[in-house]
Amino acid sequence: MDWFWKFPTMDAETLRGVKKSIDEGFRGFTRAYGSDIEALFSPLQSFLIWSERLLTGTPWPIIIMVIAAIAWLASRSLPIVIGCVFTLFLIGYFDMWADTMKTVSMILVCTVVSILIGLPIGIAMSRSNRLQNVVNPVLDVMQTMPSFVYLIPVVMLLGIGRVPGVIAVVIYAIPPMIRLTNLGIRMVDRDVLEAADAFGSSGWQKLKNVQLPLALPTIMAGINQTIMMALAMVVIASMIGVQGLGQPVLKAIANQYFTLGIFNGLAIVGIAIIFDRISQAYGLRLQKHREITHD
């Protein structure tokens, strides 16, 4: 009766052979096409270097004023503006400004890339139920896969560095952007779409002038979630050479530096709160504007 209690498994030698074949195939692929793939991502590297130099090279008062202006334009809320400025002052006072700017530059690049990739995919999903049925399981796998696993193929293809870190972060953070773009466009009132058809709008005009503006609050929620997930990946991405607040946290874990880890962790939390409050306030304003316009 031992066979009843023991789960049937593949023969150990066969399983070892299958794993070895897959590993050798992937290594062969990286050796053959790794340099071409690396060249493909050179514009991304240039964009990342430019954004990092911009943020780290700009004097801190200008950065704080720009963020305060963005917070005011997005929220029209003085408490949110004061909270953002106070958080940035604390980060600078505790000597974490340079690492914070490197992290912010990476998050900005990851968010822009996620929008450029996720928005068209979300729009395409909203227009095709068949495509939605194909993409949704892929997104489910992407969201449930342990974040460390994303580092393995990226490092094998591109090695250690900032660009592999950005790619891993984008893969981890892009599903909410795709899902909420699809959801927002599908939620647009059919009566409004019929009115657009009655006025003779083309498919592109309907998308540009009706669907995207009405779906913008939901799309902003997707951007918000993408930013939050990208920030959650900062420490893990530091394991493959991504500079910023994640590296001191990783150093604190390795050397048991309690205060170093806590301070940099709180800085990540502070940046997350700033991004979250600004994007949520802007999405809420868009929602109120849509309701007033609809009424």
Side-chain angles (χ1 to χ4, degrees), residues 67-86 273-274 276-285 288:
I67 293 178
I70 293 172
W72 173 254
L73 292 173
S75 66
R76 296 292 196 275
S77 171
L78 193 58
I80 290 179
V81 175
I82 294 173
C84 292
V85 172
F86 180 70
I273 291 173
I274 290 174
D276 180 66
R277 293 296 179 267
I278 291 175
S279 58
Q280 276 199 2
Y282 184 61
L284 186 61
R285 285 187 61 225
K288 290 179 178 178

Side-chain angles (χ1 to χ4, degrees), residues 4-287:
F4 184 79
W5 299 105
K6 186 178 179 181
F7 198 88
T9 58
M10 184 185 294
D11 178 71
E13 193 65 31
T14 305
L15 181 60
R16 194 179 300 114
V18 170
K19 291 180 178 179
K20 185 177 180 181
S21 298
I22 295 173
D23 289 341
E24 288 179 351
F26 192 78
R27 289 193 192 98
F29 177 80
T30 56
R31 284 193 292 267
Y33 302 103
S35 58
D36 295 332
I37 295 173
E38 190 173 348
L40 184 66
F41 289 107
S42 58
L44 178 61
Q45 184 175 14
S46 301
F47 181 33
L48 182 60
I49 292 172
W50 174 82
S51 65
E52 185 175 306
R53 286 178 178 172
L54 176 66
L55 289 176
T56 55
T58 304
W60 66 265
I62 296 177
I63 295 289
I64 290 180
M65 286 190 292
V66 169
I67 293 178
I70 293 172
W72 173 254
L73 292 173
S75 66
R76 296 292 196 275
S77 171
L78 193 58
I80 290 179
V81 175
I82 294 173
C84 292
V85 172
F86 180 70
T87 301
L88 291 172
F89 265 112
L90 282 180
I91 288 171
Y93 184 74
F94 286 103
D95 196 25
M96 296 180 289
W97 184 263
D99 285 338
T100 299
M101 290 301 103
K102 290 176 182 177
T103 297
V104 171
S105 69
M106 189 194 73
I107 297 302
L108 288 176
V109 170
C110 292
T111 303
V112 170
V113 173
S114 296
I115 292 171
L116 291 177
I117 297 174
L119 190 65
I121 295 175
I123 292 171
M125 285 176 64
S126 69
R127 292 171 172 265
S128 170
N129 289 330
R130 182 177 297 176
L131 181 62
Q132 179 179 244
N133 294 334
V134 171
V135 174
N136 270 334
V138 177
L139 298 178
D140 292 338
V141 172
M142 290 170 67
Q143 289 188 290
T144 53
M145 183 78 73
S147 51
F148 285 96
V149 177
Y150 292 121
L151 304 181
I152 299 170
V154 172
V155 170
M156 290 183 70
L157 281 172
L158 300 172
I160 302 294
R162 288 176 291 186
V163 172
V166 169
I167 294 170
V169 171
V170 168
I171 294 172
Y172 179 76
I174 199 172
M177 185 67 215
I178 299 174
R179 287 188 188 277
L180 288 171
T181 299
N182 173 39
L183 178 64
I185 294 176
R186 286 179 179 270
M187 287 175 60
V188 173
D189 195 340
R190 293 195 175 276
D191 293 338
V192 178
L193 297 178
E194 290 175 2
D197 289 332
F199 281 102
S201 299
S202 65
W204 166 247
Q205 289 174 330
K206 189 164 60 175
L207 175 66
K208 180 171 67 75
N209 299 324
V210 179
Q211 290 175 303
L212 285 179
L214 292 177
L216 198 54
T218 307
I219 294 173
M220 280 302 303
I223 295 174
N224 174 276
Q225 290 303 305
T226 294
I227 293 171
M228 294 302 105
M229 293 184 71
L231 277 166
M233 190 73 172
V234 163
V235 177
I236 297 170
S238 67
M239 298 176 65
I240 58 172
V242 173
Q243 298 179 345
L245 293 168
Q247 285 195 337
V249 174
L250 195 64
K251 181 180 177 182
I253 294 171
N255 298 281
Q256 298 182 359
Y257 296 151
F258 178 76
T259 53
L260 180 67
I262 291 295
F263 279 19
N264 283 271
L266 288 175
I268 294 173
V269 172
I271 294 300
I273 291 173
I274 290 174
F275 278 119
D276 180 66
R277 293 296 179 267
I278 291 175
S279 58
Q280 276 199 2
Y282 184 61
L284 186 61
R285 285 187 61 225
L286 288 173
Q287 185 70 35

